[in-house]
Amino acid sequence: MTLAQAIALHRAGRRREAQPLYERALRDRPDDPHTLFAYGLCLLEQGSLTEGIRAMRRLARVDPRHAGAQQALGKALALSGDAAGAEAHLRRAVDLAPQSPDAWIELGAVLARAAPERAEATLRDGLSRHAGNAALWCNLGNVLALRGFRSEAVESWRKALSLQPDLVEAELALALELRASGKGDDAVAVLKRAIARRPEMAELHYNLGVTYFHARKPGPAIAALERALSLNPRLRRAAVQLAQAAQAACDWDRLDQLMPAVHEEIQAALAGKPCLVTPFFALSLRLSRRERAAIGAAKAQDCVRQYAPDRGEGFAAPTPAADGRLRIGFLGSEFRNHPMAHIIAGLFPAFDRRGFRVTVFSHGPDDGSEYRRRIESGAERFVELHGTHHVEAARRIAADGTDILVDLSAFTAMARPEIAVLRPAPLQATTMGLPGPTNAPFYDYVIADRIIIPPEEADEHREALVYLPNSYYFTDDRQPIAAERPTRGEEGLPDGAFVFTCYCAHFKIERESFAVWMRLLRAVAGSILWLYREAPESEDNLRRAAAEAGIDPSRIVFGQRRPKPVHLARLALADLGLDTLTYGGHTTTVDALWAGIPVVTRRGDAFASRVGASLLQAIGLPELIAPDLAGYEALALRLAQSPGALEAVRARLAANRRTAPLFDTARFARGMEEGFRRMWQRHLSGAKPATIDLTGWPNAVPGLADSNS
């Protein structure tokens, strides 16, 4: 009866009570396979890996042909980190019981990470015997996605769902892939179908919220994330994502309520633990230098932990190019109709091809836009990596003989730092994508300037710094502006009104900066604030905040989305640009200056809040950089109330657009080339990466500007 009692308790989920009864039964029959198997499962299900593995090994010795023992042992060894042992036992299980799909599923899962090609072959072998098994199809989709075969992965997940419509693993995988490939509406549809069947599953609501957030729909995102938290209040990811959605919706009261959860994550980063606050989210939070550095380091550590095992033996150093040129690779996801592409398209054809071979490695989608085509034709070589597994992508970059790889995306939304983790190039750098510290051991340099990262703050960055001669920011001096400018009436702007403008994304607008803007509207009679049209929720919240400040909400005008050349033309309808504070305008500030609109900024205390100052210095208008918030407000007010002073600034901007460094793309390319040369010279000499300062180059005496040459 002892064994029967143990089995009954085990089936009822009362494993701790069953365990001593199994042990008593084994004293009477120590080699009984049935008892040993049940006892081993009881231990493993309690999380007692060591004891469970010992019991299953004992059973495997008693009955080497016990397929269940081999399968359980393989699964347990996988959990313990013994991938080789797990594979051996699972292969034995498959040989002993090919009629059981479970062993195939477990074997495919074990192989998926270390050997995705073998995992695919194993799963297809299993499907040749079990074509109607939904879990096998789901796992095949997972492996195909790992290998970069995304369309085939989607087909596999859809096949799994045709066999088992409620297979939540397949629904989630399919939704995440659809979201990653820019098919947000399709992802929402999949998740809503899953929620209709599993309304109590917090993970589904969480992913629905994330999908809405990435689609720039903060209202529905907030609703879904709040539902996820109501189902699972301990789902920390949902709380952090909800804070981001509240920020995007300009729901500042809700954001304040959620900040304790955000600060808990930041404290984890400071303690060297994993952190759910991303480096990108951190850019728009008021944090200390130490906190920003810790968040970057936490993300970098996570990348290394996940992807360093894929590195294997690494890649051989590239042989010198036969033509003596330095081979530069630019890696990124934004080579499409995206702010990055708008400003970088003119850079690639500006490089000197006598000394440099420039290759663009694109891992983002091809949207067929004019910007994509300009970059494809402007770079000497364009290599498509979209949908390619990160190991294969790294192999391609290494096989290309890349000397210096520049990651333009770093830790942003569509970045793939896992490629850089594998070290496909001897030297790796970042610039542009993340205006903050990555602190990643797989990046050697950050390409910057002395305004955004002053030398006294270099210790915030693990990477060495390359200071470019002027601003670090790309610009395109051939970016087209439509010949026909829309009228104020067409843009909803009243004739004769003074128009302040800020076309930044709404998540950058803070309570403090908005309060300044409302005081400016109050002080300048009849003036208008012209903002970017983004989401109904953020617009409603901004109008409500205006009313609370005593300003008629109709004095805020939200501009419709326009093709970029038309947008640049219409910006000239404004009188004065206003920068945001913690995360300032970057490409939006470049756009305003290129369109001839002066922008007032404040020199902030972080990289992301200093880019405006860098841009204005490089365009020759340092007087538009205020030292603090009070100076920012006073400067904007003085220019709005002094038509002559503002007209003088506009005239200087118009003259400087064609002469100052900011919009001299060829000049920028020369400075970047010099930075690459010095980086490579240090590498060839065996010296470690260290600060390279090109401030004042080429007028400086060669070598003296480089503090480590």
Side-chain angles (χ1 to χ4, degrees):
M1 289 296 294
T2 302
L3 179 59
Q5 290 173 327
I7 292 173
L9 289 168
H10 190 168
R11 287 175 176 170
R14 297 161 65 182
R15 299 179 185 89
R16 292 195 180 277
E17 297 173 59
Q19 181 180 335
L21 296 178
Y22 279 131
E23 291 168 352
R24 190 183 307 168
L26 283 169
R27 284 197 290 270
D28 297 331
R29 304 180 64 186
D31 292 332
D32 178 58
H34 181 60
T35 307
L36 274 171
F37 185 59
Y39 175 57
L41 287 181
C42 182
L43 291 167
L44 293 172
E45 288 166 4
Q46 291 181 71
S48 302
L49 276 181
T50 302
E51 294 83 355
I53 289 171
R54 188 181 297 121
M56 288 300 178
R57 287 194 189 280
R58 180 176 164 187
L59 172 54
R61 288 193 296 270
V62 170
D63 182 3
R65 297 190 61 78
H66 195 296
Q70 298 290 341
Q71 181 179 327
L73 189 52
K75 185 176 182 180
L77 288 170
L79 290 171
S80 71
D82 183 359
E87 180 182 353
H89 284 283
L90 288 168
R91 288 201 180 279
R92 178 67 172 154
V94 164
D95 292 340
L96 291 169
Q99 74 281 2
S100 170
D102 293 343
W104 296 101
I105 293 169
E106 296 291 349
L107 179 57
V110 165
L111 293 171
R113 179 66 194 211
E117 294 178 17
R118 287 163 54 208
E120 181 186 347
T122 296
L123 291 166
R124 291 194 184 280
D125 197 5
L127 282 167
S128 69
R129 296 168 172 80
H130 307 283
N133 186 277
L136 276 170
W137 281 107
C138 179
N139 284 15
L140 176 62
N142 297 341
V143 169
L144 288 168
L146 273 174
R147 296 197 62 202
F149 301 126
R150 291 181 163 176
S151 60
E152 294 90 338
V154 168
E155 291 174 11
S156 293
W157 291 320
R158 291 197 187 280
K159 176 66 174 178
L161 290 170
S162 72
L163 294 166
Q164 186 180 335
D166 63 347
L167 185 60
V168 70
E169 294 84 359
E171 289 176 309
L172 264 176
L174 176 59
L176 293 178
E177 176 55 38
L178 291 170
R179 183 174 79 206
S181 60
K183 299 176 181 177
D185 291 343
D186 292 341
V188 166
V190 171
L191 288 165
K192 283 187 171 181
R193 286 197 299 270
I195 288 170
R197 285 189 294 270
R198 301 281 295 275
E200 78 294 344
M201 189 171 177
E203 187 72 16
L204 292 173
H205 293 277
Y206 164 75
N207 277 288
L208 179 61
V210 173
T211 303
Y212 277 131
F213 175 78
H214 284 294
R216 298 196 174 190
K217 297 179 179 179
I222 288 170
L225 293 164
E226 287 186 331
R227 178 59 177 154
L229 281 170
S230 71
L231 292 167
N232 182 1
R234 300 176 65 183
L235 191 59
R236 293 158 49 207
R237 288 174 294 137
V240 173
Q241 186 66 64
L242 182 57
Q244 281 194 269
Q247 185 187 62
C250 299
D251 189 344
W252 301 315
D253 290 339
R254 191 192 304 265
L255 177 60
D256 289 344
Q257 294 166 5
L258 291 161
M259 283 307 294
V262 173
H263 283 299
E264 281 185 24
E265 294 301 320
I266 295 171
Q267 289 303 309
L270 289 169
K273 299 176 182 178
C275 172
L276 293 172
V277 173
T278 65
F280 187 79
F281 184 22
L283 298 176
S284 54
L285 300 174
R286 294 184 183 180
L287 304 177
S288 68
R289 290 172 51 204
R290 181 166 168 261
E291 288 170 330
R292 288 190 295 267
I295 291 168
K299 174 64 175 178
Q301 290 167 10
D302 184 55
C303 289
V304 170
R305 184 168 48 250
Q306 287 190 68
Y307 302 112
D310 295 334
R311 188 174 176 187
E313 297 300 317
F315 299 103
T319 57
D323 57 10
R325 295 191 297 169
L326 195 56
R327 294 159 297 191
I328 310 299
F330 285 89
L331 177 69
S333 63
E334 291 90 7
F335 304 118
R336 60 188 194 282
N337 188 6
H338 182 278
M340 173 72 82
H342 298 169
I343 57 173
I344 202 174
L347 176 63
F348 298 124
F351 280 108
D352 182 357
R353 295 189 178 182
R354 295 168 298 179
F356 296 86
R357 190 199 72 183
V358 174
T359 302
V360 171
F361 295 100
S362 173
H363 57 76
D366 179 357
D367 63 355
S369 66
E370 178 187 349
Y371 295 99
R372 171 72 169 212
R373 300 298 164 245
R374 277 192 68 196
I375 292 171
E376 287 178 338
S377 62
E380 183 171 346
R381 300 169 71 254
F382 189 97
V383 177
E384 179 61 79
L385 297 179
H386 183 55
T388 304
H389 183 251
H390 59 276
V391 174
E392 291 301 319
R395 285 176 185 161
R396 182 72 183 273
I397 293 168
D400 208 55
T402 306
D403 297 315
I404 301 174
L405 182 67
V406 182
D407 190 345
L408 297 172
S409 301
F411 294 155
T412 53
M414 293 183 68
R416 292 185 63 187
E418 59 268 32
I419 297 173
V421 168
L422 303 187
R423 279 279 181 183
L427 284 182
Q428 299 187 161
T430 64
T431 193
M432 294 293 289
L434 184 81
T438 66
N439 280 309
F442 42 89
Y443 296 128
D444 304 295
Y445 289 96
V446 175
I447 299 173
D449 64 54
R450 276 179 165 261
I451 292 178
I452 58 170
I453 308 177
E456 62 271 20
E457 296 182 11
D459 60 349
E460 186 179 343
H461 299 261
R462 175 173 180 159
E463 311 90 330
L465 300 174
V466 178
Y467 286 131
L468 293 184
N470 299 289
S471 177
Y472 87 112
Y473 213 78
F474 307 147
T475 58
D476 181 3
D477 55 15
R478 296 186 180 181
Q479 190 171 187
I481 299 177
E484 186 174 346
R485 180 190 303 174
T487 65
R488 280 197 166 191
E490 290 170 337
E491 292 296 323
L493 301 170
D495 289 331
F498 189 93
V499 177
F500 296 101
T501 188
C502 178
Y503 256 78
C504 286
H506 290 182
F507 78 87
K508 294 185 179 183
I509 302 174
E510 303 167 89
R511 193 194 306 268
E512 187 177 19
S513 57
F514 193 76
V516 171
W517 297 350
M518 294 303 98
R519 291 197 293 270
L520 290 171
L521 291 186
R522 187 179 302 114
V524 181
S527 58
I528 296 295
L529 178 61
W530 190 21
L531 302 178
Y532 173 60
R533 165 144 285 163
E534 192 164 58
E537 296 80 14
S538 58
E539 293 178 21
D540 289 345
N541 285 327
L542 290 171
R543 288 192 179 101
R544 188 177 301 111
E548 290 172 357
I551 299 298
D552 183 347
S554 67
R555 293 176 67 185
I556 302 179
V557 176
F558 295 94
Q560 299 288 348
R561 186 180 295 271
R562 304 287 191 198
K564 189 63 180 286
V566 177
H567 169 64
L568 291 172
R570 70 168 170 180
L571 276 177
L573 299 172
D575 295 291
L576 182 64
L578 299 172
D579 200 2
T580 46
L581 301 179
T582 300
Y583 190 165
H586 297 178
T587 301
T588 50
T589 301
V590 167
D591 288 346
L593 296 173
W594 184 238
I597 302 303
V599 178
V600 173
T601 192
R602 178 193 70 167
R603 187 188 295 268
D605 59 359
F607 184 157
S609 60
R610 293 171 175 152
V611 174
S614 172
L615 299 172
L616 287 166
Q617 187 72 42
I619 196 67
L621 294 173
E623 66 270 27
L624 297 182
I625 307 169
D628 52 31
L629 186 63
Y632 167 90
E633 182 175 351
L635 176 58
L637 181 59
R638 181 176 66 81
L639 290 172
Q641 293 180 332
S642 306
L646 180 59
E647 186 54 40
V649 171
R650 292 178 71 110
R652 286 184 58 204
L653 173 57
N656 291 358
R657 280 175 73 247
R658 292 300 183 185
T659 57
L662 183 62
F663 291 112
D664 189 337
T665 306
R667 183 175 181 175
F668 181 91
R670 301 291 83 75
M672 184 166 267
E673 289 167 357
E674 182 65 15
F676 290 145
R677 286 191 193 95
R678 298 200 192 187
M679 291 161 63
W680 193 244
Q681 287 167 3
R682 290 192 63 83
H683 174 72
L684 292 180
S685 71
K688 293 181 179 179
T691 299
I692 295 171
D693 193 345
L694 300 177
T695 305
W697 182 90
N699 298 320
V701 176
L704 293 184
D706 181 351
S707 60
N708 291 280
S709 57

